[in-house]
Amino acid sequence: MTKLLLALISVTVFAAGPKTPVAKPRVDTATFAAGCFWGTEEFFRKIPGVMETRVGFTGGTTPHPKYEETNDGHTGHAESVEIKFDPAKVTYDHLLDQFFKMHDPTTKNRQGNDEGTQYRSAIFAHGAEQMKEAKAFKEKVEKSGAWKAPITTEITEAATFWPAEAYHQKYLVKNPGGYDNHYLRKISFDK
């Protein structure tokens, strides 16, 4: 009986073969501001290849800002969403395309009912390659004429991202039907 059990174990181990390590996906980061961060996060978290999102504040000067501090625009921060994505499944270029279609990039410091510098349209580039891609894509959008007014989106280097309070994270998942003015416009930037 013992010999039979050892033989079965040997056959099982041999048949299973050596374990091959599973490659972890590469994770890149994108940071966008497009008005109220609740709707911006909800829009991007649904894109296949987006692995994680979180809302917060960036682009200003106040360390560890709270929502109440940024609400009056004096911190310089924009309500933003930080996106972790797998570039093998979704490209930065596709995220830029969706960004320029999901909000109005022609209204300076305003989206829907929200007004102030904290609601500005902005791309916070993580590195030289993203900076180059973002500038080129903005130029493509401007040349396409899809938006009938000048693009006001600012493009700057990513700085410290300060996460917002927990109740803001995945807000529209927790509060279905909450305020959201983000949607995909049926426009094209290809001539």
mmCIF file of all heavy atoms in Angstrom, residues 43-90:
data_model
loop_
_atom_site.group_PDB
_atom_site.id
_atom_site.type_symbol
_atom_site.label_atom_id
_atom_site.label_comp_id
_atom_site.label_asym_id
_atom_site.label_seq_id
_atom_site.Cartn_x
_atom_site.Cartn_y
_atom_site.Cartn_z
ATOM 1 N N PHE A 43 -16.249 57.176 -14.385
ATOM 2 C CA PHE A 43 -16.058 56.974 -15.818
ATOM 3 C C PHE A 43 -14.832 56.097 -16.084
ATOM 4 O O PHE A 43 -14.914 55.105 -16.807
ATOM 5 C CB PHE A 43 -15.904 58.332 -16.524
ATOM 6 C CG PHE A 43 -15.714 58.205 -18.002
ATOM 7 C CD1 PHE A 43 -16.814 58.150 -18.849
ATOM 8 C CD2 PHE A 43 -14.450 58.120 -18.564
ATOM 9 C CE1 PHE A 43 -16.653 58.003 -20.220
ATOM 10 C CE2 PHE A 43 -14.279 57.979 -19.925
ATOM 11 C CZ PHE A 43 -15.380 57.925 -20.757
ATOM 12 N N PHE A 44 -13.693 56.448 -15.510
ATOM 13 C CA PHE A 44 -12.452 55.732 -15.813
ATOM 14 C C PHE A 44 -12.381 54.348 -15.194
ATOM 15 O O PHE A 44 -11.777 53.449 -15.771
ATOM 16 C CB PHE A 44 -11.237 56.570 -15.415
ATOM 17 C CG PHE A 44 -10.906 57.629 -16.423
ATOM 18 C CD1 PHE A 44 -11.227 58.948 -16.174
ATOM 19 C CD2 PHE A 44 -10.314 57.306 -17.621
ATOM 20 C CE1 PHE A 44 -10.950 59.930 -17.106
ATOM 21 C CE2 PHE A 44 -10.028 58.271 -18.573
ATOM 22 C CZ PHE A 44 -10.347 59.595 -18.310
ATOM 23 N N ARG A 45 -13.002 54.140 -14.051
ATOM 24 C CA ARG A 45 -12.878 52.820 -13.404
ATOM 25 C C ARG A 45 -13.545 51.720 -14.216
ATOM 26 O O ARG A 45 -13.230 50.554 -14.059
ATOM 27 C CB ARG A 45 -13.384 52.838 -11.972
ATOM 28 C CG ARG A 45 -14.849 52.855 -11.797
ATOM 29 C CD ARG A 45 -15.306 52.641 -10.356
ATOM 30 N NE ARG A 45 -16.732 52.387 -10.390
ATOM 31 C CZ ARG A 45 -17.275 51.200 -10.625
ATOM 32 N NH1 ARG A 45 -16.520 50.151 -10.806
ATOM 33 N NH2 ARG A 45 -18.597 51.058 -10.673
ATOM 34 N N LYS A 46 -14.440 52.086 -15.130
ATOM 35 C CA LYS A 46 -15.155 51.101 -15.944
ATOM 36 C C LYS A 46 -14.413 50.720 -17.225
ATOM 37 O O LYS A 46 -14.845 49.817 -17.936
ATOM 38 C CB LYS A 46 -16.537 51.656 -16.313
ATOM 39 C CG LYS A 46 -17.458 51.831 -15.131
ATOM 40 C CD LYS A 46 -18.769 52.444 -15.563
ATOM 41 C CE LYS A 46 -19.717 52.644 -14.413
ATOM 42 N NZ LYS A 46 -20.958 53.321 -14.857
ATOM 43 N N ILE A 47 -13.321 51.378 -17.534
ATOM 44 C CA ILE A 47 -12.579 51.089 -18.773
ATOM 45 C C ILE A 47 -11.762 49.810 -18.591
ATOM 46 O O ILE A 47 -10.978 49.705 -17.635
ATOM 47 C CB ILE A 47 -11.668 52.279 -19.161
ATOM 48 C CG1 ILE A 47 -12.534 53.505 -19.495
ATOM 49 C CG2 ILE A 47 -10.746 51.921 -20.318
ATOM 50 C CD1 ILE A 47 -11.734 54.767 -19.785
ATOM 51 N N PRO A 48 -11.937 48.831 -19.480
ATOM 52 C CA PRO A 48 -11.141 47.601 -19.381
ATOM 53 C C PRO A 48 -9.636 47.922 -19.423
ATOM 54 O O PRO A 48 -9.188 48.726 -20.247
ATOM 55 C CB PRO A 48 -11.564 46.801 -20.614
ATOM 56 C CG PRO A 48 -12.933 47.318 -20.941
ATOM 57 C CD PRO A 48 -12.893 48.790 -20.595
ATOM 58 N N GLY A 49 -8.903 47.317 -18.518
ATOM 59 C CA GLY A 49 -7.470 47.577 -18.402
ATOM 60 C C GLY A 49 -7.145 48.520 -17.263
ATOM 61 O O GLY A 49 -6.003 48.583 -16.813
ATOM 62 N N VAL A 50 -8.147 49.272 -16.785
ATOM 63 C CA VAL A 50 -7.955 50.104 -15.595
ATOM 64 C C VAL A 50 -8.060 49.175 -14.400
ATOM 65 O O VAL A 50 -9.046 48.458 -14.234
ATOM 66 C CB VAL A 50 -8.986 51.249 -15.525
ATOM 67 C CG1 VAL A 50 -8.945 51.933 -14.165
ATOM 68 C CG2 VAL A 50 -8.731 52.255 -16.638
ATOM 69 N N MET A 51 -7.034 49.170 -13.588
ATOM 70 C CA MET A 51 -6.945 48.233 -12.477
ATOM 71 C C MET A 51 -7.420 48.835 -11.154
ATOM 72 O O MET A 51 -7.939 48.127 -10.299
ATOM 73 C CB MET A 51 -5.503 47.749 -12.347
ATOM 74 C CG MET A 51 -4.991 47.108 -13.637
ATOM 75 S SD MET A 51 -3.202 46.994 -13.699
ATOM 76 C CE MET A 51 -2.927 45.706 -12.519
ATOM 77 N N GLU A 52 -7.210 50.136 -11.014
ATOM 78 C CA GLU A 52 -7.538 50.782 -9.745
ATOM 79 C C GLU A 52 -7.682 52.280 -9.975
ATOM 80 O O GLU A 52 -6.996 52.855 -10.816
ATOM 81 C CB GLU A 52 -6.398 50.516 -8.758
ATOM 82 C CG GLU A 52 -6.538 51.116 -7.399
ATOM 83 C CD GLU A 52 -5.296 50.861 -6.538
ATOM 84 O OE1 GLU A 52 -4.619 49.847 -6.722
ATOM 85 O OE2 GLU A 52 -5.017 51.721 -5.683
ATOM 86 N N THR A 53 -8.585 52.893 -9.225
ATOM 87 C CA THR A 53 -8.731 54.347 -9.260
ATOM 88 C C THR A 53 -8.852 54.859 -7.839
ATOM 89 O O THR A 53 -9.293 54.135 -6.942
ATOM 90 C CB THR A 53 -9.997 54.788 -10.032
ATOM 91 O OG1 THR A 53 -11.138 54.188 -9.418
ATOM 92 C CG2 THR A 53 -9.928 54.411 -11.502
ATOM 93 N N ARG A 54 -8.438 56.106 -7.655
ATOM 94 C CA ARG A 54 -8.704 56.774 -6.385
ATOM 95 C C ARG A 54 -8.771 58.268 -6.656
ATOM 96 O O ARG A 54 -8.111 58.781 -7.567
ATOM 97 C CB ARG A 54 -7.686 56.430 -5.305
ATOM 98 C CG ARG A 54 -6.279 56.895 -5.564
ATOM 99 C CD ARG A 54 -5.364 56.470 -4.431
ATOM 100 N NE ARG A 54 -4.009 56.937 -4.714
ATOM 101 C CZ ARG A 54 -3.088 57.097 -3.811
ATOM 102 N NH1 ARG A 54 -3.342 56.822 -2.547
ATOM 103 N NH2 ARG A 54 -1.889 57.522 -4.128
ATOM 104 N N VAL A 55 -9.612 58.944 -5.901
ATOM 105 C CA VAL A 55 -9.790 60.375 -6.072
ATOM 106 C C VAL A 55 -8.961 61.120 -5.048
ATOM 107 O O VAL A 55 -8.652 60.600 -3.967
ATOM 108 C CB VAL A 55 -11.269 60.795 -5.989
ATOM 109 C CG1 VAL A 55 -12.082 60.146 -7.101
ATOM 110 C CG2 VAL A 55 -11.876 60.484 -4.631
ATOM 111 N N GLY A 56 -8.589 62.346 -5.427
ATOM 112 C CA GLY A 56 -7.797 63.162 -4.519
ATOM 113 C C GLY A 56 -7.514 64.512 -5.121
ATOM 114 O O GLY A 56 -8.232 64.988 -6.009
ATOM 115 N N PHE A 57 -6.434 65.094 -4.646
ATOM 116 C CA PHE A 57 -6.094 66.461 -5.008
ATOM 117 C C PHE A 57 -4.633 66.529 -5.446
ATOM 118 O O PHE A 57 -3.768 65.911 -4.843
ATOM 119 C CB PHE A 57 -6.305 67.388 -3.808
ATOM 120 C CG PHE A 57 -7.633 67.157 -3.131
ATOM 121 C CD1 PHE A 57 -7.716 66.407 -1.963
ATOM 122 C CD2 PHE A 57 -8.799 67.661 -3.677
ATOM 123 C CE1 PHE A 57 -8.940 66.179 -1.350
ATOM 124 C CE2 PHE A 57 -10.026 67.436 -3.071
ATOM 125 C CZ PHE A 57 -10.096 66.696 -1.908
ATOM 126 N N THR A 58 -4.364 67.302 -6.496
ATOM 127 C CA THR A 58 -2.997 67.503 -6.959
ATOM 128 C C THR A 58 -2.926 68.793 -7.753
ATOM 129 O O THR A 58 -3.947 69.340 -8.156
ATOM 130 C CB THR A 58 -2.490 66.293 -7.789
ATOM 131 O OG1 THR A 58 -1.076 66.408 -7.956
ATOM 132 C CG2 THR A 58 -3.175 66.184 -9.136
ATOM 133 N N GLY A 59 -1.698 69.263 -7.965
ATOM 134 C CA GLY A 59 -1.492 70.466 -8.762
ATOM 135 C C GLY A 59 -1.439 71.745 -7.971
ATOM 136 O O GLY A 59 -1.290 72.821 -8.536
ATOM 137 N N GLY A 60 -1.549 71.652 -6.647
ATOM 138 C CA GLY A 60 -1.540 72.844 -5.812
ATOM 139 C C GLY A 60 -0.348 72.889 -4.885
ATOM 140 O O GLY A 60 0.642 72.190 -5.077
ATOM 141 N N THR A 61 -0.460 73.725 -3.856
ATOM 142 C CA THR A 61 0.672 73.953 -2.960
ATOM 143 C C THR A 61 0.430 73.503 -1.523
ATOM 144 O O THR A 61 1.373 73.356 -0.767
ATOM 145 C CB THR A 61 1.025 75.450 -2.943
ATOM 146 O OG1 THR A 61 -0.141 76.199 -2.571
ATOM 147 C CG2 THR A 61 1.519 75.915 -4.309
ATOM 148 N N THR A 62 -0.810 73.270 -1.141
ATOM 149 C CA THR A 62 -1.123 72.912 0.242
ATOM 150 C C THR A 62 -0.885 71.428 0.476
ATOM 151 O O THR A 62 -1.485 70.592 -0.195
ATOM 152 C CB THR A 62 -2.599 73.248 0.559
ATOM 153 O OG1 THR A 62 -2.810 74.633 0.300
ATOM 154 C CG2 THR A 62 -2.948 72.938 1.998
ATOM 155 N N PRO A 63 -0.013 71.078 1.460
ATOM 156 C CA PRO A 63 0.183 69.658 1.751
ATOM 157 C C PRO A 63 -1.013 69.083 2.524
ATOM 158 O O PRO A 63 -1.651 69.790 3.300
ATOM 159 C CB PRO A 63 1.446 69.645 2.615
ATOM 160 C CG PRO A 63 1.556 71.009 3.189
ATOM 161 C CD PRO A 63 0.856 71.941 2.243
ATOM 162 N N HIS A 64 -1.310 67.832 2.276
ATOM 163 C CA HIS A 64 -2.387 67.107 2.968
ATOM 164 C C HIS A 64 -3.710 67.879 2.973
ATOM 165 O O HIS A 64 -4.329 68.050 4.024
ATOM 166 C CB HIS A 64 -1.977 66.764 4.409
ATOM 167 C CG HIS A 64 -0.683 66.035 4.514
ATOM 168 N ND1 HIS A 64 -0.571 64.700 4.206
ATOM 169 C CD2 HIS A 64 0.555 66.464 4.859
ATOM 170 C CE1 HIS A 64 0.690 64.328 4.384
ATOM 171 N NE2 HIS A 64 1.387 65.375 4.771
ATOM 172 N N PRO A 65 -4.166 68.341 1.802
ATOM 173 C CA PRO A 65 -5.405 69.127 1.787
ATOM 174 C C PRO A 65 -6.624 68.270 2.110
ATOM 175 O O PRO A 65 -6.648 67.080 1.828
ATOM 176 C CB PRO A 65 -5.473 69.635 0.346
ATOM 177 C CG PRO A 65 -4.779 68.569 -0.440
ATOM 178 C CD PRO A 65 -3.667 68.080 0.447
ATOM 179 N N LYS A 66 -7.585 68.888 2.693
ATOM 180 C CA LYS A 66 -8.882 68.256 2.953
ATOM 181 C C LYS A 66 -9.880 68.831 1.955
ATOM 182 O O LYS A 66 -9.689 69.919 1.407
ATOM 183 C CB LYS A 66 -9.350 68.544 4.388
ATOM 184 C CG LYS A 66 -8.382 68.052 5.447
ATOM 185 C CD LYS A 66 -8.338 66.555 5.480
ATOM 186 C CE LYS A 66 -7.344 66.049 6.506
ATOM 187 N NZ LYS A 66 -6.517 64.982 6.038
ATOM 188 N N TYR A 67 -10.969 68.115 1.742
ATOM 189 C CA TYR A 67 -11.988 68.542 0.781
ATOM 190 C C TYR A 67 -12.476 69.961 1.077
ATOM 191 O O TYR A 67 -12.595 70.783 0.178
ATOM 192 C CB TYR A 67 -13.154 67.554 0.794
ATOM 193 C CG TYR A 67 -14.261 67.941 -0.164
ATOM 194 C CD1 TYR A 67 -14.098 67.780 -1.535
ATOM 195 C CD2 TYR A 67 -15.446 68.482 0.309
ATOM 196 C CE1 TYR A 67 -15.103 68.143 -2.424
ATOM 197 C CE2 TYR A 67 -16.459 68.838 -0.564
ATOM 198 C CZ TYR A 67 -16.277 68.672 -1.930
ATOM 199 O OH TYR A 67 -17.265 69.040 -2.803
ATOM 200 N N GLU A 68 -12.735 70.257 2.331
ATOM 201 C CA GLU A 68 -13.248 71.572 2.703
ATOM 202 C C GLU A 68 -12.267 72.679 2.330
ATOM 203 O O GLU A 68 -12.675 73.791 1.998
ATOM 204 C CB GLU A 68 -13.550 71.636 4.212
ATOM 205 C CG GLU A 68 -14.699 70.755 4.654
ATOM 206 C CD GLU A 68 -14.351 69.263 4.707
ATOM 207 O OE1 GLU A 68 -13.165 68.889 4.859
ATOM 208 O OE2 GLU A 68 -15.284 68.453 4.563
ATOM 209 N N GLU A 69 -10.955 72.392 2.392
ATOM 210 C CA GLU A 69 -9.939 73.390 2.040
ATOM 211 C C GLU A 69 -9.874 73.627 0.534
ATOM 212 O O GLU A 69 -9.624 74.741 0.089
ATOM 213 C CB GLU A 69 -8.558 72.930 2.518
ATOM 214 C CG GLU A 69 -8.407 72.835 4.010
ATOM 215 C CD GLU A 69 -7.069 72.228 4.374
ATOM 216 O OE1 GLU A 69 -6.870 71.023 4.103
ATOM 217 O OE2 GLU A 69 -6.228 72.961 4.930
ATOM 218 N N THR A 70 -10.064 72.573 -0.240
ATOM 219 C CA THR A 70 -9.940 72.718 -1.699
ATOM 220 C C THR A 70 -11.209 73.278 -2.319
ATOM 221 O O THR A 70 -11.175 73.786 -3.435
ATOM 222 C CB THR A 70 -9.624 71.363 -2.364
ATOM 223 O OG1 THR A 70 -10.695 70.464 -2.117
ATOM 224 C CG2 THR A 70 -8.326 70.781 -1.854
ATOM 225 N N ASN A 71 -12.313 73.194 -1.609
ATOM 226 C CA ASN A 71 -13.609 73.596 -2.139
ATOM 227 C C ASN A 71 -13.680 75.076 -2.515
ATOM 228 O O ASN A 71 -14.475 75.460 -3.357
ATOM 229 C CB ASN A 71 -14.706 73.251 -1.123
ATOM 230 C CG ASN A 71 -16.016 72.932 -1.782
ATOM 231 O OD1 ASN A 71 -16.067 72.621 -2.958
ATOM 232 N ND2 ASN A 71 -17.075 73.012 -1.013
ATOM 233 N N ASP A 72 -12.841 75.915 -1.904
ATOM 234 C CA ASP A 72 -12.877 77.339 -2.230
ATOM 235 C C ASP A 72 -11.822 77.737 -3.259
ATOM 236 O O ASP A 72 -11.743 78.892 -3.653
ATOM 237 C CB ASP A 72 -12.735 78.191 -0.966
ATOM 238 C CG ASP A 72 -11.404 77.986 -0.263
ATOM 239 O OD1 ASP A 72 -10.503 77.334 -0.829
ATOM 240 O OD2 ASP A 72 -11.252 78.484 0.865
ATOM 241 N N GLY A 73 -10.991 76.782 -3.703
ATOM 242 C CA GLY A 73 -10.010 77.051 -4.740
ATOM 243 C C GLY A 73 -8.709 77.673 -4.267
ATOM 244 O O GLY A 73 -7.827 77.943 -5.082
ATOM 245 N N HIS A 74 -8.535 77.884 -2.975
ATOM 246 C CA HIS A 74 -7.336 78.576 -2.482
ATOM 247 C C HIS A 74 -6.105 77.687 -2.324
ATOM 248 O O HIS A 74 -5.008 78.190 -2.105
ATOM 249 C CB HIS A 74 -7.644 79.298 -1.164
ATOM 250 C CG HIS A 74 -8.548 80.472 -1.357
ATOM 251 N ND1 HIS A 74 -9.855 80.467 -0.948
ATOM 252 C CD2 HIS A 74 -8.336 81.666 -1.951
ATOM 253 C CE1 HIS A 74 -10.416 81.614 -1.262
ATOM 254 N NE2 HIS A 74 -9.521 82.361 -1.888
ATOM 255 N N THR A 75 -6.250 76.385 -2.436
ATOM 256 C CA THR A 75 -5.090 75.493 -2.279
ATOM 257 C C THR A 75 -4.319 75.331 -3.588
ATOM 258 O O THR A 75 -3.198 74.856 -3.587
ATOM 259 C CB THR A 75 -5.524 74.095 -1.804
ATOM 260 O OG1 THR A 75 -6.302 73.481 -2.838
ATOM 261 C CG2 THR A 75 -6.309 74.149 -0.508
ATOM 262 N N GLY A 76 -4.955 75.684 -4.701
ATOM 263 C CA GLY A 76 -4.342 75.471 -6.010
ATOM 264 C C GLY A 76 -4.522 74.069 -6.547
ATOM 265 O O GLY A 76 -4.184 73.786 -7.693
ATOM 266 N N HIS A 77 -5.052 73.169 -5.728
ATOM 267 C CA HIS A 77 -5.245 71.782 -6.150
ATOM 268 C C HIS A 77 -6.483 71.637 -7.028
ATOM 269 O O HIS A 77 -7.435 72.403 -6.914
ATOM 270 C CB HIS A 77 -5.398 70.856 -4.941
ATOM 271 C CG HIS A 77 -4.143 70.640 -4.170
ATOM 272 N ND1 HIS A 77 -3.049 69.996 -4.699
ATOM 273 C CD2 HIS A 77 -3.797 71.003 -2.909
ATOM 274 C CE1 HIS A 77 -2.081 69.946 -3.792
ATOM 275 N NE2 HIS A 77 -2.516 70.561 -2.694
ATOM 276 N N ALA A 78 -6.453 70.632 -7.887
ATOM 277 C CA ALA A 78 -7.614 70.255 -8.688
ATOM 278 C C ALA A 78 -8.152 68.941 -8.152
ATOM 279 O O ALA A 78 -7.379 68.074 -7.727
ATOM 280 C CB ALA A 78 -7.222 70.083 -10.153
ATOM 281 N N GLU A 79 -9.473 68.795 -8.160
ATOM 282 C CA GLU A 79 -10.061 67.488 -7.875
ATOM 283 C C GLU A 79 -9.623 66.565 -9.005
ATOM 284 O O GLU A 79 -9.857 66.876 -10.173
ATOM 285 C CB GLU A 79 -11.590 67.571 -7.815
ATOM 286 C CG GLU A 79 -12.112 68.254 -6.586
ATOM 287 C CD GLU A 79 -13.604 68.033 -6.367
ATOM 288 O OE1 GLU A 79 -14.206 67.144 -7.023
ATOM 289 O OE2 GLU A 79 -14.169 68.756 -5.533
ATOM 290 N N SER A 80 -8.983 65.467 -8.675
ATOM 291 C CA SER A 80 -8.348 64.611 -9.674
ATOM 292 C C SER A 80 -8.626 63.147 -9.415
ATOM 293 O O SER A 80 -9.047 62.768 -8.327
ATOM 294 C CB SER A 80 -6.829 64.836 -9.651
ATOM 295 O OG SER A 80 -6.515 66.197 -9.808
ATOM 296 N N VAL A 81 -8.335 62.344 -10.429
ATOM 297 C CA VAL A 81 -8.409 60.896 -10.262
ATOM 298 C C VAL A 81 -7.066 60.312 -10.676
ATOM 299 O O VAL A 81 -6.499 60.673 -11.706
ATOM 300 C CB VAL A 81 -9.573 60.255 -11.055
ATOM 301 C CG1 VAL A 81 -9.424 60.469 -12.546
ATOM 302 C CG2 VAL A 81 -9.699 58.773 -10.756
ATOM 303 N N GLU A 82 -6.537 59.444 -9.822
ATOM 304 C CA GLU A 82 -5.307 58.715 -10.113
ATOM 305 C C GLU A 82 -5.721 57.342 -10.608
ATOM 306 O O GLU A 82 -6.501 56.653 -9.943
ATOM 307 C CB GLU A 82 -4.449 58.618 -8.860
ATOM 308 C CG GLU A 82 -3.123 57.920 -9.091
ATOM 309 C CD GLU A 82 -2.344 57.781 -7.803
ATOM 310 O OE1 GLU A 82 -2.755 56.927 -6.963
ATOM 311 O OE2 GLU A 82 -1.353 58.493 -7.637
ATOM 312 N N ILE A 83 -5.209 56.961 -11.762
ATOM 313 C CA ILE A 83 -5.603 55.727 -12.429
ATOM 314 C C ILE A 83 -4.398 54.805 -12.541
ATOM 315 O O ILE A 83 -3.363 55.203 -13.081
ATOM 316 C CB ILE A 83 -6.145 56.036 -13.844
ATOM 317 C CG1 ILE A 83 -7.330 56.992 -13.760
ATOM 318 C CG2 ILE A 83 -6.488 54.764 -14.600
ATOM 319 C CD1 ILE A 83 -7.631 57.699 -15.073
ATOM 320 N N LYS A 84 -4.528 53.594 -12.050
ATOM 321 C CA LYS A 84 -3.517 52.553 -12.251
ATOM 322 C C LYS A 84 -4.044 51.673 -13.375
ATOM 323 O O LYS A 84 -5.180 51.195 -13.308
ATOM 324 C CB LYS A 84 -3.308 51.716 -10.987
ATOM 325 C CG LYS A 84 -2.856 52.517 -9.778
ATOM 326 C CD LYS A 84 -1.449 53.008 -9.923
ATOM 327 C CE LYS A 84 -0.998 53.700 -8.635
ATOM 328 N NZ LYS A 84 0.333 54.267 -8.758
ATOM 329 N N PHE A 85 -3.225 51.486 -14.415
ATOM 330 C CA PHE A 85 -3.704 50.720 -15.559
ATOM 331 C C PHE A 85 -2.626 49.792 -16.100
ATOM 332 O O PHE A 85 -1.434 50.010 -15.900
ATOM 333 C CB PHE A 85 -4.222 51.658 -16.663
ATOM 334 C CG PHE A 85 -3.174 52.526 -17.311
ATOM 335 C CD1 PHE A 85 -2.614 52.190 -18.538
ATOM 336 C CD2 PHE A 85 -2.748 53.704 -16.708
ATOM 337 C CE1 PHE A 85 -1.652 52.984 -19.144
ATOM 338 C CE2 PHE A 85 -1.784 54.518 -17.309
ATOM 339 C CZ PHE A 85 -1.240 54.160 -18.534
ATOM 340 N N ASP A 86 -3.083 48.749 -16.793
ATOM 341 C CA ASP A 86 -2.209 47.778 -17.428
ATOM 342 C C ASP A 86 -2.041 48.214 -18.887
ATOM 343 O O ASP A 86 -2.985 48.104 -19.669
ATOM 344 C CB ASP A 86 -2.834 46.389 -17.348
ATOM 345 C CG ASP A 86 -1.994 45.312 -18.015
ATOM 346 O OD1 ASP A 86 -1.018 45.641 -18.734
ATOM 347 O OD2 ASP A 86 -2.321 44.126 -17.842
ATOM 348 N N PRO A 87 -0.866 48.724 -19.274
ATOM 349 C CA PRO A 87 -0.682 49.223 -20.638
ATOM 350 C C PRO A 87 -0.765 48.138 -21.712
ATOM 351 O O PRO A 87 -0.894 48.455 -22.894
ATOM 352 C CB PRO A 87 0.695 49.883 -20.606
ATOM 353 C CG PRO A 87 1.396 49.240 -19.465
ATOM 354 C CD PRO A 87 0.339 48.866 -18.463
ATOM 355 N N ALA A 88 -0.743 46.867 -21.308
ATOM 356 C CA ALA A 88 -0.938 45.787 -22.280
ATOM 357 C C ALA A 88 -2.418 45.646 -22.631
ATOM 358 O O ALA A 88 -2.763 45.047 -23.645
ATOM 359 C CB ALA A 88 -0.396 44.470 -21.721
ATOM 360 N N LYS A 89 -3.296 46.208 -21.794
ATOM 361 C CA LYS A 89 -4.733 46.099 -22.020
ATOM 362 C C LYS A 89 -5.383 47.415 -22.427
ATOM 363 O O LYS A 89 -6.415 47.413 -23.091
ATOM 364 C CB LYS A 89 -5.417 45.562 -20.763
ATOM 365 C CG LYS A 89 -5.006 44.142 -20.437
ATOM 366 C CD LYS A 89 -5.718 43.637 -19.212
ATOM 367 C CE LYS A 89 -5.303 42.202 -18.910
ATOM 368 N NZ LYS A 89 -5.896 41.726 -17.666
ATOM 369 N N VAL A 90 -4.825 48.524 -21.995
ATOM 370 C CA VAL A 90 -5.345 49.841 -22.378
ATOM 371 C C VAL A 90 -4.159 50.800 -22.481
ATOM 372 O O VAL A 90 -3.314 50.838 -21.583
ATOM 373 C CB VAL A 90 -6.412 50.358 -21.388
ATOM 374 C CG1 VAL A 90 -5.866 50.574 -19.991
ATOM 375 C CG2 VAL A 90 -7.053 51.642 -21.899
#
